[in-house]
Amino acid sequence: MSKILVTGGLGYIGSHTVVALQEAGFKVIIVDNLSNSSVKVLEGIVAITGETPAFENFDLRDKQNTTAFFKRHKDITGVIHFAASKAVGESVENPLLYYENNINTLIYLLQELSKKESSNIIFSSSCTVYGQADVMPITEEAPIKLAESPYGNTKQIGEAILKDTCKANQNFNAIALRYFNPIGAHRSAKIGELPIGVPQNLVPYITQTGAGEREQLSVFGDNYPTTDGTCVRDYIHVVDIANAHVIALQRLLNKKHKSNFEVFNLGTGTGSTVLEVIKSFERVSNQNLNYKIVDRREGDVISAFADTKKANTVLGWKAKSSLDDAMQSAWKWQQTIKSKL
């Protein structure tokens, strides 16, 4: 049984991927510093899978602890690296935090993996690497433009570090998964997106507003060149994304990859405006959402949605859930959380 390290494995996408890995028969060990997650997420993972993953609580920015971890766990055969700060707006306000957290942790991780005879890593990348693309949908061959935010820049730098590492070491195998906008929750409502403090992402802010935890949702701008003036994004169910990580990992472990550094978009291939997401929520929740239009937010691109042909054909992966499916699961998760408060 392959032993897989999932960094940031108690976070939003990480926890759903841990579930998918365990359901696929992998042995999982999680490293998470709990800076934007909770140890209670472990309970949800166990409730869904009936299996408890190993868990170590430390910060990968601590190089000494990272080295000691890999000395204790020499039998790790693959790594899925989620541990990173991830909010566009926050990165504009606090860029040094993002460069330290997102770049240093990757470097320390790769330094340890480079000591192994062969290494396999899946990197949590993002559509933000494209900046404001000229053509929609966005293919993996789209030019990498100047990033619109420090967060986007850390993903560009992270991919460059991985690519250079793979070029220098042919025993090093990496896949960067550029996902668009993950939303939703596990169908069991036992795990989901659980931001600490004020949500930085659209959907949890919508569901918290719908549940009465937030007074009003701010929609940043209604004068973009889109169908209704609000920004367009490709919203993809988090469980679809989790399943893609398992498929990509199996590709590396089974040596099916054509190059030792590969990149894939993960999205639905369809763009939705902010107002369309709000309308989807109103449909599945049977209520009107309290929102207002405010000024644009620095760092936001106008439109971004994926061309998913490469992932569909090469990985054999395709997003299965609709926007309403994802919003329904997010709302069910929000109601579950509120009932526990």
Side-chain angles (χ1 to χ4, degrees):
M1 184 187 293
S2 294
K3 184 176 180 181
I4 308 302
L5 165 63
V6 181
T7 73
L10 294 183
Y12 176 40
I13 306 174
S15 60
H16 287 83
T17 301
V18 169
V19 166
L21 285 166
Q22 292 192 162
E23 289 178 341
F26 289 99
K27 184 179 180 183
V28 177
I29 181 166
I30 295 169
V31 169
D32 199 305
N33 69 354
L34 304 179
S35 62
N36 194 34
S37 58
S38 167
V39 73
K40 291 182 179 179
V41 175
L42 267 177
E43 298 172 10
I45 292 171
V46 175
I48 294 167
T49 65
E51 184 178 345
T52 306
F55 168 58
E56 294 201 20
N57 177 7
F58 72 91
D59 195 320
L60 288 164
R61 286 176 290 187
D62 185 328
K63 191 174 186 196
Q64 189 174 352
N65 264 346
T66 302
T67 298
F69 171 84
F70 277 94
K71 284 181 179 177
R72 292 195 303 275
H73 301 281
K74 295 180 180 178
D75 56 341
I76 289 171
T77 55
V79 176
I80 301 182
H81 182 47
F82 292 108
S85 301
K86 62 174 186 175
V88 169
E90 184 185 49
S91 76
V92 173
E93 296 168 3
N94 195 352
L96 292 181
L97 167 68
Y98 275 67
Y99 287 114
E100 180 196 26
N101 198 30
N102 295 9
I103 303 302
N104 288 7
T105 55
L106 177 62
I107 290 172
Y108 297 159
L109 193 59
L110 296 182
Q111 285 174 338
E112 295 306 318
L113 292 176
S114 295
K115 298 172 185 177
K116 300 167 77 70
E117 285 186 17
S118 178
S119 296
N120 302 293
I121 183 168
I122 307 294
F123 178 62
S124 170
S125 192
S126 165
C127 65
T128 54
V129 301
Y130 297 114
Q132 180 55 68
D134 294 322
V135 179
M136 296 293 150
I138 303 170
T139 72
E140 288 84 353
E141 286 69 46
I144 303 298
K145 293 187 170 186
L146 184 68
E148 298 280 338
S149 67
Y151 166 70
N153 199 26
T154 65
K155 292 302 183 183
Q156 290 182 352
I157 294 167
E159 284 195 16
I161 290 169
L162 272 172
K163 188 174 183 180
D164 289 342
T165 303
C166 288
K167 187 176 180 181
N169 183 354
Q170 289 302 306
N171 292 323
F172 208 103
N173 307 300
I175 291 177
L177 296 178
R178 294 172 178 166
Y179 23 88
F180 282 63
N181 289 63
I183 61 171
H186 193 270
R187 63 183 179 276
S188 66
K190 295 186 184 300
I191 58 172
E193 190 166 9
L194 188 61
I196 293 174
V198 179
Q200 299 286 331
N201 295 329
L202 175 62
V203 171
Y205 211 111
I206 286 176
T207 58
Q208 287 188 14
T209 303
E213 292 179 28
R214 305 286 164 193
E215 183 179 345
Q216 191 173 57
L217 170 74
S218 295
V219 176
F220 297 104
D222 65 348
N223 58 353
Y224 287 98
T226 62
T227 55
D228 59 26
T230 61
C231 290
V232 171
R233 297 290 184 271
D234 189 337
Y235 295 94
I236 176 171
H237 200 300
V238 66
V239 172
D240 283 330
I241 284 185
N243 291 334
H245 284 79
V246 177
I247 293 169
L249 180 66
Q250 290 168 331
R251 179 175 174 81
L252 292 182
L253 295 177
N254 296 331
K255 304 189 186 306
K256 296 287 181 65
H257 49 289
K258 306 301 180 190
S259 161
N260 71 331
F261 178 72
E262 295 181 314
V263 172
F264 296 94
N265 283 341
L266 297 184
T268 64
T270 301
S272 301
T273 67
V274 174
L275 290 181
E276 285 171 340
V277 177
I278 290 172
K279 287 173 186 173
S280 173
F281 170 77
E282 290 178 335
R283 277 195 300 274
V284 302
S285 67
N286 294 312
Q287 63 173 299
N288 293 321
L289 191 74
N290 183 23
Y291 68 90
K292 66 175 179 179
I293 307 296
V294 298
D295 291 338
R296 292 185 181 190
R297 180 175 58 180
E298 188 177 356
D300 278 340
V301 299
I302 300 165
S303 179
F305 60 97
D307 184 314
T308 61
K309 290 189 190 76
K310 186 178 178 184
N312 298 160
T313 56
V314 178
L315 288 181
W317 168 90
K318 187 176 179 65
K320 296 177 180 178
S321 298
S322 69
L323 177 60
D324 280 6
D325 291 335
M327 294 304 293
Q328 180 74 61
S329 66
W331 181 231
K332 182 180 177 184
W333 163 245
Q334 179 66 52
Q335 291 172 303
T336 302
I337 302 167
K338 191 172 183 183
S339 70
K340 293 178 180 176
L341 295 177

